[in-house]
Amino acid sequence: PEDNAIIISVESGMSSQYIRDLSVNVKRGMRSKAEKGWFPNIPPIGYLNSKTRDKGNETILVDEERFKIVRKMWDLMLTGTYTLPQVLKIATNEWGLTTPNRKKLGGKPVSISYVYLMFSNEFYTGTFKYGGKMYQGKHEPMITRDEFDKVQIILGKKGKPRAKTYSFPFTG
């Protein structure tokens, strides 16, 4: 009936406020987890979230099945003699690399676009970016920062930032 319009407005406002408060609390919890050194999301291939602790307090473990394969992929890229599609083909066909099994997905070959993301992900160096900030992770690093920078140069991306010097004529 028409006389319940005020009650509906009040209930709608309460539900909107509940959603806003929930959003703030979730973001605070995820930021807190990042500050403790744990990536607050699904880790990349080669790592797994532990499911032994309370929800929200999972740590990141090495995926025994895929960690060594992904490290071999980094080693192949560091040689500089293999292209990224060749590395993916070797990892898929010879070493049997597949995506981790999740509830509804997994067990499929890794896509080429994911491999490009994998080789540009700083998570493998022991650090991670969350919310625009870099954090030092507590997970086991797979590669060193120098190896990461070398692969970025091989891929044609920016490696370590270097000082820019310009030589202009007539500057004395």
Side-chain angles (χ1 to χ4, degrees):
E2 295 177 10
D3 59 343
N4 289 339
I6 294 175
I7 295 172
I8 290 174
S9 297
V10 170
E11 288 180 0
S12 175
M14 288 173 55
S15 65
S16 295
Q17 186 62 40
Y18 174 77
I19 295 298
R20 280 190 221 109
D21 292 343
L22 183 63
S23 173
V24 168
N25 289 338
V26 168
K27 288 176 184 175
R28 183 184 324 119
M30 292 178 78
R31 190 174 48 250
S32 169
K33 187 173 179 180
E35 289 168 356
K36 291 176 187 174
W38 299 112
F39 188 58
N41 209 333
I42 298 173
I45 193 165
Y47 294 93
L48 294 172
N49 277 332
S50 69
K51 296 295 179 186
T52 57
R53 302 182 104 186
D54 297 331
K55 188 170 179 78
N57 293 325
E58 294 97 358
T59 58
I60 296 175
L61 305 173
V62 169
D63 183 357
E64 299 296 331
E65 184 180 337
R66 292 171 187 85
F67 187 83
K68 292 177 183 173
I69 295 173
V70 174
R71 176 59 211 194
K72 285 189 213 176
M73 291 173 70
W74 279 95
D75 291 336
L76 285 180
M77 279 302 291
L78 285 167
T79 64
T81 58
Y82 293 93
T83 63
L84 204 115
Q86 289 172 334
V87 171
L88 176 62
K89 187 176 181 181
I90 291 170
T92 304
N93 296 338
E94 295 179 18
W95 301 333
L97 180 67
T98 58
T99 57
N101 288 323
R102 309 255 185 240
K103 289 180 182 176
K104 295 183 180 180
L105 299 173
K108 308 267 182 184
V110 178
S111 68
I112 188 77
S113 61
Y114 186 81
V115 176
Y116 274 104
L117 289 174
M118 182 184 85
F119 283 119
S120 60
N121 191 349
E122 295 185 36
F123 185 87
Y124 293 102
T125 64
T127 61
F128 61 90
K129 187 177 276 191
Y130 181 75
K133 293 182 182 177
M134 284 298 283
Y135 294 98
Q136 180 63 44
K138 291 186 178 178
H139 60 278
E140 179 183 337
M142 185 179 290
I143 59 169
T144 64
R145 175 58 76 175
D146 292 334
E147 291 172 328
F148 179 79
D149 288 336
K150 185 176 177 185
V151 169
Q152 299 314 296
I153 292 168
I154 291 170
L155 291 175
K157 297 185 177 185
K158 294 178 182 175
K160 181 171 30 176
R162 288 163 180 74
K164 295 180 181 178
T165 57
Y166 298 102
S167 176
F168 295 107
F170 309 112
T171 57

